[in-house]
Amino acid sequence: MAALAPLAASAGQPSQAPAQATQFVTQTDRLIVRYKDADTNAARGIAAGAISTARQALLARAGQTFGATLSALRATVNGANVLKLSRSMTLVEAKQLAAELMARDPDVQYAEPDRIMVPLATPNDPSYSQQWDLFEAKGGINVAAAWDKSTGSGVNVAVIDTGYRPHADLAGQILAGYDFISDTTIANDGSGRDTDASDPGDWAPAGSCGAGVPAMDTLSSWHGTHVAGTIAAKTNNGVGVAGIAYNARIVPARVLGRCGGYTSDIADAIAWASGGTVANVPAAPYKARVLNLSLGGSGACDTTTQNAINGARSRGAVVVVAAGNANVDAGSTSPANCAGVIAVAAVGRSGGKASYSNYGSVVDVAAPGGDSSGGGILSTLNGGNTTPAADTYAYYQGTSMAAPHVAGVAALMLSANPNLTPDEVEAKLKSTARAFPAACSGCGAGIVDAAAAVNAALGTSATTTPSTPTWTACASEGGTCSFSGIREVRYGSGTTFVSKTVNGSVACTNAVFGDPTPNVVKSCSYSSVTVTPTWTACADENGTCAFSGTREVRYGAGATYVSRVFTGSTACSNAVFGDPVPNVVKACSYSSITQ
Ligand SMILES: [Ca+2]
Ligand SMILES: [Ca+2]
């Protein structure tokens, strides 16, 4: 029986970057108040912010109830007033005060806390800025935008690999697994199968795996620990790296040891992790919806393996497999050539095929695996050359690193929509994959896009019924319609309207909307349904971002952005946008919503 090997290539050096803290601010010393006559005042040339004595008296009385005085600071762009409070209060209290203002003064259109915003979802893990594979426009998987909607909660991912090392950046992420290695020499832990899936090391002296194999002494790889970190390293813990599905959990199934691992052990692990029954092995306490197999060997798909994969899929598991590192057609690499798996090729930092990656018609999608020109994939590791030593981090390259990116995204999708079948997950990963920005022939449908895949997963939820919008009148013709978020705005009269999707406010005029009902006074109303834009990566720093129409363009890294509105194209540079994240390579993306 052929031994299968882990599919990682070389390691590089870990490095550090400054931490970015992310913490929500839960207090404010400001309110925003807009009066109902703001539109007509603007039309008459009366400056917003000039609050009448009568209104000031009502403000003062409302403030007294909360032990605060309110003073006008300035007007906002849409004619509302920013009020300074004499003391800071919690957002809960500020909302109560805003409600008090609205109750006391019927002229108030709305009042709300002037909340302090912070960049969302940017992990504070100090090495995140080195994880180009997560955020860069060319070779990355666009995961930060997915984290707004899914972080993998409730989904278990089986890492069918060398086992795991306890690691500070994996603490609490690893569930009970199993050691499937039946051969004590391969196991290297002095025993056969048992409940301890920890990795004792897979170092191999020269010639210990057969004549001339390996050619020279090899060090322990800690391969499964690296794969596990890519999928679900602890994130926003101020330590090390970020994981893709960081609220998912890892089920370690140990199948690879010194010299590799047997197909029979791997097949049992596939069955067990997905909730199947394996003789003489206790049932898995934690069933996995995603199985990651960053391993392979040459030859056709074994019947044993195919049967195990069929069984896992019948129990709802998504099976993700590395395509292999021999720069050959993956049709000759198993289990990448098995039916029903998602076979993953590797791209480098440029988004082109990694030199080593297998390719061909059995490949479904590509993901970052790193290459020697742009660097590898940084993840959790152990520092021991042979037996375990201290926690560390290291760059590895390989389709072994690409596969867990896809497994992590699959976990995000299943967390967002647990009803998806394995075939639906695969179809959505493919349909939302991003076009290759550099040559990658035989690399499947494209580079996996985590945010687009999660959006697609959410979009088809059978249990979600679209809500019917209601419409709120917001301005007469010539006025300004203002609201929160991005919404559809109707302009017209009676039942004749034209509509646009608008961010925040819009002039309610023929100039903006055209004239759907000539010679009739029109008005605007906005929809109760907010629209969520999706973002398409368009350029790396110092490139040119091009698109159709007038759109918002974001510039930044991770989830820290500045954004501006452009028509047609813009340079993606500090000169245009300023520098939201110094010392980090930034990129641009454009909104799906035209303005
Ligand atoms: Ca053992
Ligand atoms: Ca971390």
Side-chain angles (χ1 to χ4, degrees), residues 152-450:
S153 299
V155 177
N156 300 328
V157 181
V159 172
I160 298 176
D161 212 292
T162 64
Y164 73 98
R165 285 315 310 166
H167 191 292
D169 221 1
L170 288 168
Q173 304 297 85
I174 310 276
L175 300 173
Y178 199 78
D179 176 6
F180 282 91
I181 302 180
S182 47
D183 179 285
T184 51
T185 304
I186 289 176
N188 209 23
D189 63 354
S191 63
R193 291 187 169 185
D194 53 60
T195 56
D196 180 7
S198 69
D199 185 349
D202 59 355
W203 82 94
S208 63
C209 301
V213 182
M216 57 185 107
D217 292 358
T218 57
L219 305 181
S220 287
S221 67
W222 314 114
H223 187 268
T225 302
H226 198 280
V227 168
T230 297
I231 296 168
K234 286 184 77 172
T235 301
N236 287 317
N237 62 338
V239 172
V241 292
I244 291 165
Y246 56 80
N247 279 322
R249 295 292 180 266
I250 300 292
V251 176
R254 184 169 181 248
V255 297
L256 301 174
R258 176 175 289 181
C259 308
Y262 287 104
T263 292
S264 53
D265 289 345
I266 294 166
D268 279 0
I270 290 169
W272 175 85
S274 56
T277 302
V278 177
N280 302 316
V281 176
Y286 303 100
K287 180 181 168 181
R289 289 295 311 273
V290 183
L291 314 184
N292 187 88
L293 292 116
S294 287
L295 52 82
S298 60
C301 177
D302 303 284
T303 304
T304 302
T305 306
Q306 187 65 62
N307 286 343
I309 290 167
N310 295 349
R313 283 165 47 79
S314 75
R315 292 183 288 273
V318 174
V319 183
V320 181
V321 177
N325 296 344
N327 189 27
V328 298
D329 192 308
S332 63
T333 303
S334 179
N337 55 9
C338 296
V341 304
I342 300 175
V344 183
V347 296
R349 194 168 180 172
S350 68
K353 181 175 137 0
S355 56
Y356 54 79
S357 181
N358 287 356
Y359 51 83
S361 61
V362 304
V363 171
D364 295 298
V365 289
D371 61 24
S372 43
S373 63
I377 306 299
L378 184 63
S379 187
T380 45
L381 212 74
N382 188 275
N385 284 338
T386 54
T387 54
D391 291 357
T392 186
Y393 300 86
Y395 293 94
Y396 272 11
Q397 299 173 19
T399 52
S400 273
M401 283 63 249
H405 284 80
V406 177
V409 173
L412 297 177
M413 295 169 74
L414 287 166
S415 178
N417 183 357
N419 297 322
L420 294 176
T421 66
D423 285 337
E424 286 170 339
V425 169
E426 177 172 345
K428 289 176 195 310
L429 282 167
K430 288 176 169 174
S431 66
T432 59
R434 192 159 56 76
F436 293 102
C440 200
S441 179
C443 292
I447 299 172
V448 162
D449 183 317

